[in-house]
Structure formats: C-alpha cells, structure tokens
C-alpha cells in the first residue's frame, strides 16, 4: 500500500514540479478542471468523473510502479471515452443545470486535448519508445 501511495505522489510530483512550464501549466489546468467534480458532487455526472479519475490514477500508479514515468501512462485516459459517451446520453438532464453544463463542456474540451496528446504518447510507447522520460529522483 505504501508503494502505491508513493507512486501516486511521485507522479503528481513529476507533473507539478518537474515538467517544463507549459506542460506543467497545462497539467495544473487538467487536474483542476477534473477536480471541479467535487464542487458538483451532488450530481451523478460529477460522481462518475470522480470515480473515473480515481480509477485512472490507480492504474497510473500501477503502471508507474512497473515501468516508471513512461508514455504508457496516457493509456489510462481511455476511461474518458465511455464516461463522455454516457454523459452524451444525459445531455438533456445536464442542460437543466447551466453551471454543470458549462463545467462538463470545459471538461470535455480539456480532456479531449489531453487525450490527443496521450494518444500520441501511447503510440510512441507502442512503437518502442519505452524509456521513462521523467524521473522523480
């Protein structure tokens, strides 16, 4: 369990402290937009975002523990596809709450941009670029 917590802290440490300025700012935005689910937690959509985020972070900690900070970490964001597919079926319910709808639109745009970057990273990993590209220590 301690290794898991350590891996999560290392991942966030790398992202928030080791990344170059532009990727760091982007990741602060990405995490912040996703964590806004806590503000909307009374809505089932926010609960699904929270669970999806926790599952993704758990999988990232496992991947990190096995291979370090590799481009494979981005594969966990595949979880966003079914999440947003499900949300699309709830568009009418979401539209009733304008603030929730605005957040979900911003979330969808943000996560889509991140997903495109992740797709490129995972492709590079699959093509053989497997060395960790950031280290905590």
């Amino acid at each position: 369990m301690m290794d898991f917590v350590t891996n999560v802290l290392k991942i966030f440490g790398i992202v928030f402290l080791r990344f170059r300025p532009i990727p760091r700012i982007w990741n602060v935005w990405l995490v912040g937009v996703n964590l806004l689910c806590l503000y909307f937690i009374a809505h089932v959509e926010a609960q699904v975002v929270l669970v999806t985020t926790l599952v993704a972070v758990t999988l990232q900690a496992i991947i990190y523990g096995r291979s370090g900070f590799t481009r494979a970490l981005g594969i966990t964001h595949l979880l966003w596809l079914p999440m947003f597919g499900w949300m699309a079926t709830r568009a009418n319910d979401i539209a009733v709450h304008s603030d929730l709808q605005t957040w979900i639109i911003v979330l969808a745009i943000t996560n889509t941009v991140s997903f495109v970057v992740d797709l490129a990273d995972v492709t590079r990993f699959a093509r053989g670029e497997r060395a960790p590209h950031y280290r905590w220590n």
Side-chain angles (χ1 to χ4, degrees):
M1 180 63 167
M2 193 58 182
D3 285 342
F4 171 79
V5 172
T6 300
N7 289 343
V8 170
L9 292 174
K10 285 180 179 179
I11 290 167
F12 281 104
I14 290 168
V15 168
F16 293 134
L17 301 173
R18 299 275 169 116
F19 273 17
R20 286 180 240 138
I22 298 298
R24 184 182 313 160
I25 291 166
W26 171 254
N27 279 280
V28 167
W29 172 262
L30 174 68
V31 170
V33 169
N34 279 273
L35 280 179
L36 268 175
C37 68
L38 298 174
Y39 178 79
F40 296 101
I41 202 66
H43 297 275
V44 67
E45 296 82 7
Q47 295 165 18
V48 169
V49 171
L50 179 61
V51 169
T52 302
T53 301
L54 292 174
V55 170
V57 170
T58 299
L59 293 172
Q60 287 174 346
I62 292 167
I63 293 168
Y64 181 87
R66 292 184 180 165
S67 63
F69 201 94
T70 63
R71 299 186 185 283
L73 291 169
I75 196 123
T76 62
H77 294 155
L78 279 172
L79 296 170
W80 291 337
L81 296 177
M83 179 183 78
F84 283 116
W86 171 77
M87 282 190 194
T89 69
R90 299 190 46 77
N92 291 335
D93 296 314
I94 293 168
V96 172
H97 307 281
S98 63
D99 56 342
L100 176 68
Q101 182 181 35
T102 300
W103 168 65
I104 290 175
I105 290 168
V106 171
L107 179 74
I109 292 167
T110 299
N111 287 11
T112 298
V113 171
S114 181
F115 187 78
V116 170
V117 172
D118 293 334
L119 186 60
D121 276 348
V122 170
T123 300
R124 289 171 71 177
F125 182 84
R127 290 185 177 163
E129 197 173 321
R130 302 194 174 201
H133 57 287
Y134 282 97
R135 297 192 190 288
W136 176 245
N137 49 1

